[in-house]
Amino acid sequence: MSADALKTTPLHDLHLALGAKMVPFAGYSMPVHYADGIIAEHRHCRTRAGLFDVSHMGQAFLVARDGADPAAAIERLVPGAIATLKPGRMRYTVLLNDAGGIRDDLMVTRTAEADGRLFLVVNAAVKDADFAHISDALADAAVLERLDDRALLALQGPRAAAVLGEMVPEVCDLVFMQALDASWRGVPLAISRSGYTGEDGFEISLPADAAETFARTLLEHPDVAPIGLGARDSLRLEAGLCLYGHDIDETTTPVEADLVWAIAKSRRERADFPGAAHILKQLAEGPARRRVGIRPGDRTIAREGTPVRDAKGERVIGRVTSGGFGPSIDGPIAMGYVETALAEPGTGLMLEIRGKLRPAAVAALPFVPHRYVR
Amino acid sequence: MSTIRFTKDHEWIRVEDGRGTVGITDYAQEQLGDVVFVELPEVGATLAQGDEAAVVESVKAASEVYAPVSGQVVERNEALEAEPGTVNESPMDEGWFFVLALADPAELDGLMDSEAYAQYIKDLD
């Protein structure tokens, strides 16, 4: 794809003005880092507050055809309990295929007004496929309204609440995975206390034409710095959070991906989600492989695709799905799938990097403790 | 009097008395971003010109560093193990990778001098 064919977000001009290095990502031109670089941005987010442009992600409302509640409809596609989601609450869930594989992971929010709508945020790379799938599969019961004219920003870090609270005081009343609608200088904002860094923070959906002014106002605060996709990746990896298309995809189930908590108890009993038979069997018998954290024993970085062997190096028992340098750990970290018998934290492994076997160990996730406000 | 030469892969080699100190250029470190790990060749290793000599890992990717000329590795910069960021801060000086005892100094003639390299990276941008 040529650079000309890339889509841009409403903050494109701002990224350029801030000196961002732009790269193609999921069909968009996105900032990978700004002038300070990935490590400095990562550390800034862990110590103060980082502003992320995630407007490339897919936003939509799901509205019931009868004007009541679309939750029962979307439950046909996901294993989460959406019907019992209270107004002003959000939940992480996954769209499943008929084999129980993960089509995408997404956030579902029941708006605070309980106006019969669910607000969905899906991954950029698969948003068109997701929205087509949801529309088609639920055509009898619900209508999907894409929100392509909205921007999505994330403000993450220990100073996020204080900073955003100066502009929108009511956000300080939210706890993790709660949402509210607010207004700033007449601009409607849909805000949730959530994120993808392991830090406290917020995601803010707002009209595209107000996004730059809002972002510039946040950036005027001395605690706020812009953060690119590079640090977004190292932050989420340290937090043990999955990246769709890498750590989870159509070939991995939520059980293998260690996302069992996202399969609601009530849904297990009803066994009424796609791939339920396979997933419930894995729950009962244990999966053959499982997603784990991996700590390389030296400073060599194990990138995605690195073969994982047993401690003696004799047999390939898995593969790294995300790997990089963790600035807060000050060392290399990775996630990947290994045979379940070798998935306990502390289990010795070997990583095959550039033809050499290097010692590593299974590590508990997250690498850096979550600091959500509950 | 030392001579400095550059490769198209953005290595530099500074030669004095038949020994060449090798590193990566400022342009290379800028492209790589934050360097977090450097894998150096063993002292005593014999390298042919263009052989993979070292690996530099940045937060973004792993990149090979090639031997600018043939020779034997006589020294390596052990300080990079603890402080890989030195490659970003001082690529042409304290961030050197290894020293080669040159096998064939005539190979230097095929490399770029400072002026030619400056023009080369200007044409890349």
Side-chain angles (χ1 to χ4, degrees):
Chain A
M1 189 184 288
S2 75
D4 298 332
L6 290 174
K7 288 182 273 188
T8 56
T9 74
L11 294 187
H12 188 70
D13 292 346
L14 179 59
H15 296 316
L16 298 180
L18 292 169
K21 177 170 169 58
M22 306 299 286
V23 295
F25 181 84
Y28 283 80
S29 173
M30 296 296 290
V32 66
H33 61 78
Y34 300 85
D36 292 344
I38 294 171
I39 292 180
E41 289 172 21
H42 178 112
R43 294 197 171 125
H44 187 96
C45 183
R46 287 263 185 261
T47 53
R48 298 169 81 183
L51 180 66
F52 303 72
D53 178 14
V54 287
S55 303
H56 56 314
M57 297 185 80
Q59 304 180 65
F61 281 125
L62 188 68
V63 186
R65 287 200 182 273
D66 62 6
D69 185 0
I74 197 161
E75 281 195 356
R76 291 188 221 155
L77 308 180
V78 302
I82 309 301
T84 54
L85 195 57
K86 293 190 176 77
R89 287 276 178 178
M90 75 193 298
R91 193 155 281 169
Y92 172 87
T93 193
V94 288
L95 286 169
L96 295 173
N97 64 29
D98 290 337
I102 301 171
R103 299 179 64 117
D104 196 8
D105 59 346
L106 70 157
M107 285 289 185
V108 179
T109 306
R110 190 185 292 283
T111 54
E113 287 79 24
D115 52 6
R117 294 189 298 187
L118 293 171
F119 176 54
L120 312 182
V121 178
V122 305
N123 282 299
V126 285
K127 65 180 174 182
D128 291 336
D130 283 357
F131 289 157
H133 170 62
I134 295 168
S135 291
D136 293 351
L138 309 183
D140 59 310
V143 177
L144 190 91
E145 297 172 2
R146 286 182 69 137
L147 298 167
D148 292 328
D149 56 351
R150 286 234 213 160
L152 189 64
L153 307 181
L155 186 70
Q156 301 279 297
R159 297 288 300 152
V163 170
L164 188 59
E166 287 178 19
M167 295 165 68
V168 188
E170 56 267 47
V171 299
C172 296
D173 300 331
L174 294 174
V175 295
F176 183 58
M177 299 297 268
Q178 268 188 334
L180 57 73
D181 292 311
S183 165
W184 173 77
R185 296 184 190 166
V187 177
L189 309 173
I191 302 175
S192 61
R193 198 157 193 165
S194 59
Y196 193 47
T197 60
E199 297 297 323
D200 181 27
F202 302 87
E203 291 181 315
I204 305 126
S205 171
L206 74 169
D209 57 12
E212 185 173 333
T213 306
F214 185 78
R216 282 187 183 277
T217 305
L218 282 171
L219 289 168
E220 280 168 17
H221 196 290
D223 280 338
V224 180
I227 313 290
L229 291 180
R232 181 170 162 82
D233 193 51
S234 54
L235 288 158
R236 70 88 199 168
L237 181 56
E238 284 185 342
L241 301 172
C242 292
L243 175 61
Y244 190 75
H246 301 261
D247 308 302
I248 49 175
D249 60 28
E250 296 252 12
T251 70
T252 57
T253 71
V255 184
E256 294 162 352
D258 201 19
L259 300 173
V260 169
W261 53 271
I263 311 170
K265 214 171 170 190
S266 59
R267 304 298 311 279
R268 296 181 203 187
E269 284 159 12
R270 280 165 25 213
D272 60 349
F273 49 85
H278 181 55
I279 285 174
L280 294 172
K281 187 165 180 281
Q282 281 191 336
L283 273 173
E285 298 173 3
R289 58 173 184 162
R290 203 149 64 75
R291 179 177 65 93
V292 296
I294 298 169
R295 264 319 291 272
D298 58 20
R299 294 188 72 81
T300 317
I301 292 180
R303 310 254 174 207
E304 182 178 1
T306 299
V308 180
R309 291 176 173 265
D310 62 279
K312 290 180 177 163
E314 288 167 355
R315 214 160 47 81
V316 174
I317 54 99
R319 189 174 61 86
V320 169
T321 51
S322 281
F325 179 79
S328 304
I329 299 282
D330 192 27
I333 49 173
M335 285 201 289
Y337 284 80
V338 297
E339 291 176 4
T340 302
L342 298 170
E344 277 304 305
T347 307
L349 305 169
M350 285 285 189
L351 298 170
E352 195 178 328
I353 302 170
R354 296 186 287 275
K356 279 187 226 163
L357 291 183
R358 297 167 188 270
V362 176
L365 293 174
F367 294 104
V368 172
H370 295 160
R371 294 199 284 180
Y372 305 138
V373 172
R374 294 186 192 269
Chain B
M1 178 70 189
S2 69
T3 309
I4 189 160
R5 290 288 179 270
F6 298 84
T7 71
K8 288 183 175 173
D9 296 314
H10 310 286
E11 291 99 9
W12 54 263
I13 180 165
R14 189 179 286 123
V15 182
E16 201 167 358
D17 299 333
R19 287 159 69 105
T21 305
V22 178
I24 65 168
T25 65
D26 187 54
Y27 178 87
Q29 71 78 20
E30 180 79 39
Q31 294 295 310
L32 287 168
D34 300 318
V35 172
V36 294
F37 177 71
V38 179
E39 189 177 323
L40 296 169
E42 300 295 333
V43 170
T46 302
L47 300 170
Q49 187 177 32
D51 276 0
E52 189 182 313
V55 176
V56 54
E57 296 257 19
S58 75
V59 283
K60 293 182 213 162
S63 308
E64 285 82 28
V65 175
Y66 301 101
V69 294
S70 307
Q72 190 173 32
V73 179
V74 292
E75 199 181 339
R76 56 186 213 164
N77 189 356
E78 306 285 354
L80 294 184
E81 192 175 333
E83 294 291 342
T86 309
V87 176
N88 296 113
E89 290 148 20
S90 181
M92 301 294 292
D93 187 14
E94 286 172 42
W96 62 277
F97 281 39
F98 55 89
V99 178
L100 282 177
L102 269 56
D104 178 8
E107 285 174 343
L108 293 168
D109 298 343
L111 304 180
M112 291 176 272
D113 62 14
S114 299
E115 206 174 308
Y117 181 70
Q119 186 61 45
Y120 174 68
I121 56 174
K122 202 174 156 199
D123 292 344
L124 289 179
D125 286 331

